Amino acid sequence: MSKKNNLSPVERIKTSSDGLRGTLKESLEDGLTGALYEDDQSLIKFHGLYQQDDRDRREERSAKKLEWLYSYMIRLRLPGGFLTPEQWIGLHHVAGEHSTGTIKITTRQTVQLHGILKSHIKPTIQSFNTLQLDSIAACGDVNRNVTCSAHPNESPVHEEVFKYADKISLLALPKTRAYYEIWLDEEQIADKQEEDPLYQDRYLPRKFKIGIAIPPNNDVDVLTNDVGLIAIIENNMLVGFNIAAGGGLSATHGNANTYARLATMLGFVDTEEKILKVVYEIMTIQRDYGNRTDRKLARLKYTIDKLGVAEFKKELEKRCGFTLEESKYYSFTDRKDHYGWKQNHEGKWYYTLFVENGRVLDDNTAAIKTALFEIAKTGKANFRFTGNQNVILADISEEDKSIIEELLEQFGLDQHTHKASALRKNAMACVAFNTCPLALAEAQRYLPSLIDKIEPLLEKHSLQHEEIILRMTGCPNGCGRSPAAEIGFVGTAYGHYNLHIGGDRTGERLNTKYKDSLNEEQILQTLDELFAVYKSERTIGETFGDFSNKKW
Ligand code: SRM
Ligand code: SF4
């Protein structure tokens, strides 16, 4: 446990925030600046918002002695990534009225809107509230959006497993009414009783992430979460979950104490009561033992490594009052999204649409935003987001399928999905420039054009049908989960990336760094060489990641 006088500055901001209220109301009313007061910039994250500025315009603004162009990004809390068509329509309008207009599907199955001006934050949240949507705890030192394997045709018990995302999200919501008071004008109760046994007044030392996978697909990259639940299904019945803990992907360039780590399997639990108890008590251990002095070393992965897995498990079982059973057998066979039409066991139809890097907009490749709006207007399809930044048009009845098919056809989306190469369809990039303040290099704005240049190399070596998982992030924080890719690019400086290789296809082995700080020409030359060796020496069916791990 951390000594009080060494606490990181964010610790003071949290404990003195009066239940995450801080001076947010005053900050919002200050018309002299587009920014918030300093402490409130940390607190607003717990409400699902980030203060950002347009990094493309920093120099120009500074030269004119103008304040940077501040705006806000909002991230919704969407356990398991589900929206009704009515909610999509509402989101479309909110995006148009208050943000840049682009809807960004994230790697954790939710959506973000960027470029919201300070005066528009409240109307944005109020509009979302009328749609029964919120952004509570989508960021900050609390449990984030709970992810869950997206595709309902994966298993007959998908719905049952999916409900756990909501249950866990509710279990781990902060108890403060601050969100309702600040954004929705709920009256503050004078003598408020907001006991929060989980978060207390100090919240967690760091962000906390929980994911649920339904084997054989590991689309959520379950082992990269602080807590990963793997559904164990026997005879088409959910019998419980294997619980893994201590995943996390971030590292800091030049800081050897930081590292990416996959979660360690702790054991199996069966009943709902026990499952929720285990998740809850893992969080209380992290609350009590996590590092509160150095935020770079504050995630659960470091707490577990500091305590040791055996000691951590002992403490967990003590807090739970029961022991975990031995983990049960499961097997992951892939992580990809299954594009196009699929049917589930009840006969409902699902169309997985390719959305490059999760950016829903109309551009010269496709009018995805307009098309999704038209699809939502039919009221015939729900929207399910995948951990690979795509969208599934979901739960469509047999008689309604042709209506959706016609719209996909009309807007060329079926062609858009099918014509994309295997490499492109399995790739992801984080946001990075122009909004991410931590970006060292481009990611989502650059990866599509880099893939244009990698595709001919794959064709040259007759590897174009390989389903290689390639991911790019603009810094080593790993938001596009590049450490868990077969080919991972990690930004080091503008136009430069470390090249990582050797991750597996199922998300059970991380990659390692192969080359430092390459520019585009060096990236293409290196990949050309690697592909040539892979093509000539691989064994039958050997993936690029497995081969690289063995060879280099
Ligand atoms: Fe992330 C910070 C975007 C998934 C690890 N992430 C950020 C911020 C908020 C930058 C900031 O702190 O100011 C980025 C906002 C960019 C922007 O303009 O929108 C950002 N992260 C994203 C998203 C939108 C990337 C995307 O393109 O989809 C993802 C939103 C997920 C969500 O819906 O909740 C996103 N971030 C991830 C993931 C992947 C995952 O969780 O599956 C990771 C790696 C896994 C992990 O947590 O270890 C990730 N983001 C980070 C970190 C490093 C945390 C750490 O342990 O040190 C930061 C920086 C931080 O927290 O200090 C960060
Ligand atoms: Fe920003 Fe880095 Fe995350 Fe990319 S990986 S969104 S650059 S923090």
Coordinates of all heavy atoms in Angstrom, one line a residue, residues 442-477:
E442 N 1.1 8.9 -36.3 CA -0.3 8.6 -36.8 C -0.6 7.2 -36.6 O 0.2 6.3 -36.6 CB -0.4 8.9 -38.3 CG -0.1 10.4 -38.6 CD -1.3 11.3 -38.5 OE1 -2.4 10.7 -38.2 OE2 -1.2 12.5 -38.7
A443 N -2.0 6.9 -36.6 CA -2.4 5.5 -36.6 C -3.6 5.3 -37.5 O -3.4 5.0 -38.7 CB -2.7 5.0 -35.2
Q444 N -4.8 5.6 -37.0 CA -6.0 5.4 -37.9 C -6.0 6.2 -39.2 O -6.6 5.8 -40.2 CB -7.3 5.6 -37.1 CG -7.6 7.0 -36.8 CD -9.0 7.2 -36.1 OE1 -9.6 6.2 -35.6 NE2 -9.5 8.4 -36.0
R445 N -5.4 7.4 -39.2 CA -5.3 8.2 -40.4 C -4.3 7.7 -41.4 O -4.3 8.1 -42.6 CB -5.0 9.7 -40.1 CG -6.1 10.3 -39.2 CD -6.0 11.9 -39.3 NE -4.7 12.4 -38.9 CZ -4.6 13.7 -38.6 NH1 -5.6 14.6 -38.7 NH2 -3.4 14.2 -38.2
Y446 N -3.3 6.9 -40.9 CA -2.2 6.4 -41.7 C -2.3 5.0 -42.2 O -1.9 4.6 -43.3 CB -0.9 6.7 -41.0 CG 0.3 6.1 -41.6 CD1 0.7 6.4 -42.9 CD2 1.1 5.2 -40.9 CE1 1.8 5.8 -43.5 CE2 2.3 4.6 -41.4 CZ 2.6 4.9 -42.8 OH 3.7 4.4 -43.3
L447 N -2.8 4.1 -41.3 CA -2.8 2.7 -41.5 C -3.4 2.3 -42.9 O -2.8 1.5 -43.6 CB -3.4 1.9 -40.4 CG -3.3 0.4 -40.5 CD1 -1.8 -0.1 -40.6 CD2 -4.0 -0.4 -39.4
P448 N -4.6 2.9 -43.3 CA -5.2 2.4 -44.5 C -4.2 2.6 -45.7 O -4.1 1.7 -46.6 CB -6.4 3.4 -44.7 CG -6.8 3.7 -43.3 CD -5.5 3.8 -42.5
S449 N -3.4 3.7 -45.7 CA -2.5 3.9 -46.9 C -1.3 3.0 -46.8 O -0.7 2.6 -47.8 CB -2.1 5.4 -47.0 OG -1.3 5.7 -45.9
L450 N -0.9 2.7 -45.5 CA 0.2 1.7 -45.4 C -0.2 0.3 -45.9 O 0.5 -0.3 -46.6 CB 0.7 1.7 -44.0 CG 1.9 0.7 -43.7 CD1 3.2 1.2 -44.4 CD2 2.2 0.5 -42.2
I451 N -1.4 0.0 -45.6 CA -1.9 -1.3 -46.0 C -2.0 -1.4 -47.6 O -1.7 -2.4 -48.2 CB -3.3 -1.6 -45.4 CG1 -3.1 -2.0 -43.9 CG2 -4.0 -2.8 -46.1 CD1 -4.3 -2.3 -43.1
D452 N -2.3 -0.2 -48.2 CA -2.3 -0.2 -49.7 C -1.0 -0.6 -50.2 O -0.9 -1.2 -51.3 CB -2.5 1.3 -50.1 CG -3.9 1.8 -50.0 OD1 -4.8 0.9 -49.9 OD2 -4.1 3.0 -50.1
K453 N 0.1 -0.3 -49.4 CA 1.5 -0.6 -49.9 C 1.9 -2.0 -49.4 O 2.8 -2.6 -50.0 CB 2.4 0.4 -49.4 CG 2.1 1.8 -50.0 CD 2.9 2.9 -49.4 CE 2.4 4.2 -50.0 NZ 2.7 5.4 -49.2
I454 N 1.3 -2.5 -48.4 CA 1.7 -3.9 -47.9 C 1.0 -5.0 -48.8 O 1.6 -6.0 -49.0 CB 1.4 -4.1 -46.4 CG1 2.2 -3.1 -45.6 CG2 1.7 -5.5 -45.9 CD1 1.8 -3.1 -44.1
E455 N -0.2 -4.6 -49.2 CA -1.0 -5.6 -50.0 C -0.2 -6.1 -51.2 O -0.1 -7.4 -51.4 CB -2.3 -5.0 -50.4 CG -3.3 -5.0 -49.3 CD -4.6 -4.1 -49.6 OE1 -4.5 -3.3 -50.5 OE2 -5.5 -4.3 -48.8
P456 N 0.4 -5.3 -52.0 CA 1.2 -5.8 -53.2 C 2.4 -6.7 -52.7 O 2.7 -7.6 -53.5 CB 1.7 -4.5 -53.8 CG 0.9 -3.4 -53.3 CD 0.4 -3.8 -52.0
L457 N 2.9 -6.4 -51.6 CA 4.0 -7.3 -51.1 C 3.5 -8.7 -50.8 O 4.1 -9.7 -51.1 CB 4.6 -6.7 -49.8 CG 5.3 -5.4 -49.9 CD1 5.8 -4.9 -48.5 CD2 6.5 -5.4 -50.9
L458 N 2.3 -8.8 -50.2 CA 1.7 -10.1 -49.9 C 1.4 -10.8 -51.2 O 1.6 -12.0 -51.3 CB 0.4 -9.9 -49.1 CG 0.7 -9.5 -47.6 CD1 -0.6 -9.0 -46.9 CD2 1.3 -10.7 -46.8
E459 N 0.9 -10.0 -52.2 CA 0.6 -10.6 -53.5 C 1.8 -11.1 -54.2 O 1.9 -12.2 -54.7 CB -0.1 -9.6 -54.4 CG -1.6 -9.7 -54.2 CD -2.4 -8.5 -54.8 OE1 -2.0 -8.2 -55.9 OE2 -3.3 -8.0 -54.2
K460 N 2.9 -10.4 -54.1 CA 4.2 -10.8 -54.7 C 4.6 -12.1 -54.1 O 5.2 -13.0 -54.9 CB 5.2 -9.7 -54.3 CG 6.6 -10.0 -54.7 CD 7.5 -8.8 -54.4 CE 8.9 -9.2 -54.1 NZ 9.7 -8.1 -53.5
H461 N 4.3 -12.4 -52.9 CA 4.7 -13.7 -52.3 C 3.6 -14.7 -52.2 O 3.6 -15.7 -51.5 CB 5.3 -13.4 -50.9 CG 6.5 -12.5 -50.9 ND1 7.7 -12.9 -51.4 CD2 6.7 -11.3 -50.4 CE1 8.6 -11.9 -51.3 NE2 8.0 -10.9 -50.7
S462 N 2.5 -14.4 -52.9 CA 1.3 -15.2 -52.9 C 0.8 -15.5 -51.5 O 0.4 -16.6 -51.1 CB 1.5 -16.5 -53.6 OG 2.0 -16.3 -54.9
L463 N 0.7 -14.4 -50.7 CA 0.3 -14.6 -49.3 C -1.0 -13.7 -49.1 O -1.4 -13.5 -47.9 CB 1.4 -14.1 -48.3 CG 2.6 -14.9 -48.3 CD1 3.7 -14.2 -47.5 CD2 2.4 -16.3 -47.6
Q464 N -1.6 -13.3 -50.1 CA -2.7 -12.3 -50.0 C -4.0 -12.9 -49.3 O -4.8 -12.1 -48.8 CB -3.1 -11.7 -51.3 CG -3.7 -12.6 -52.3 CD -2.7 -13.3 -53.2 OE1 -1.5 -13.5 -52.8 NE2 -3.1 -13.7 -54.4
H465 N -4.0 -14.2 -49.2 CA -5.2 -14.8 -48.5 C -5.0 -15.1 -47.0 O -5.8 -15.6 -46.3 CB -5.7 -16.0 -49.3 CG -6.1 -15.7 -50.7 ND1 -7.1 -14.8 -51.0 CD2 -5.6 -16.2 -51.9 CE1 -7.2 -14.7 -52.3 NE2 -6.3 -15.5 -52.8
E466 N -3.7 -14.9 -46.6 CA -3.4 -15.1 -45.2 C -4.1 -14.2 -44.3 O -4.1 -13.0 -44.6 CB -1.9 -15.0 -44.9 CG -1.0 -16.1 -45.6 CD -1.3 -17.4 -44.9 OE1 -1.4 -17.5 -43.7 OE2 -1.4 -18.4 -45.7
E467 N -4.7 -14.7 -43.2 CA -5.5 -13.8 -42.3 C -4.6 -13.2 -41.2 O -4.9 -13.4 -40.0 CB -6.7 -14.6 -41.7 CG -7.6 -15.3 -42.8 CD -8.9 -14.6 -42.9 OE1 -9.2 -13.6 -42.3 OE2 -9.7 -15.2 -43.6
I468 N -3.6 -12.6 -41.6 CA -2.6 -12.0 -40.7 C -3.2 -10.9 -39.9 O -3.9 -10.0 -40.4 CB -1.3 -11.5 -41.4 CG1 -0.7 -12.7 -42.1 CG2 -0.4 -10.9 -40.4 CD1 0.4 -12.3 -43.1
I469 N -3.0 -10.9 -38.6 CA -3.5 -9.8 -37.7 C -2.5 -8.7 -37.6 O -1.4 -9.0 -37.0 CB -4.0 -10.4 -36.3 CG1 -5.2 -11.3 -36.5 CG2 -4.4 -9.2 -35.4 CD1 -5.7 -11.9 -35.3
L470 N -2.8 -7.6 -38.1 CA -1.8 -6.4 -38.1 C -2.5 -5.3 -37.4 O -3.6 -5.0 -37.6 CB -1.5 -6.1 -39.5 CG -0.5 -4.9 -39.8 CD1 0.2 -5.1 -41.1 CD2 -1.2 -3.5 -39.8
R471 N -1.8 -4.7 -36.5 CA -2.4 -3.6 -35.7 C -1.3 -2.5 -35.5 O -0.1 -2.7 -35.4 CB -2.8 -4.1 -34.3 CG -4.0 -5.1 -34.4 CD -4.3 -5.7 -33.1 NE -5.4 -6.6 -33.2 CZ -5.9 -7.3 -32.2 NH1 -5.3 -7.3 -31.0 NH2 -6.9 -8.1 -32.3
M472 N -1.9 -1.2 -35.4 CA -1.0 -0.1 -35.3 C -1.5 0.8 -34.1 O -2.6 1.1 -34.0 CB -1.0 0.7 -36.6 CG -0.2 2.0 -36.5 SD -0.2 2.9 -38.1 CE 1.2 2.1 -38.8
T473 N -0.5 1.3 -33.3 CA -0.9 2.3 -32.3 C 0.1 3.5 -32.5 O 1.3 3.3 -32.8 CB -0.8 1.7 -30.9 OG1 0.4 1.1 -30.7 CG2 -1.9 0.7 -30.7
G474 N -0.4 4.6 -32.1 CA 0.5 5.8 -32.3 C 1.4 6.0 -31.1 O 2.2 7.0 -31.1
C475 N 1.4 5.2 -30.1 CA 2.3 5.2 -29.0 C 2.3 3.9 -28.3 O 1.4 3.0 -28.6 CB 1.9 6.4 -28.0 SG 0.7 6.0 -26.8
P476 N 3.1 3.6 -27.3 CA 3.1 2.3 -26.7 C 2.0 2.0 -25.7 O 2.1 1.0 -25.0 CB 4.5 2.2 -26.0 CG 4.9 3.6 -25.8 CD 4.2 4.5 -26.8
N477 N 1.0 2.8 -25.6 CA -0.1 2.5 -24.7 C -1.0 1.3 -25.2 O -1.7 0.7 -24.4 CB -1.0 3.7 -24.5 CG -0.4 4.7 -23.5 OD1 0.3 4.2 -22.5 ND2 -0.5 6.0 -23.7

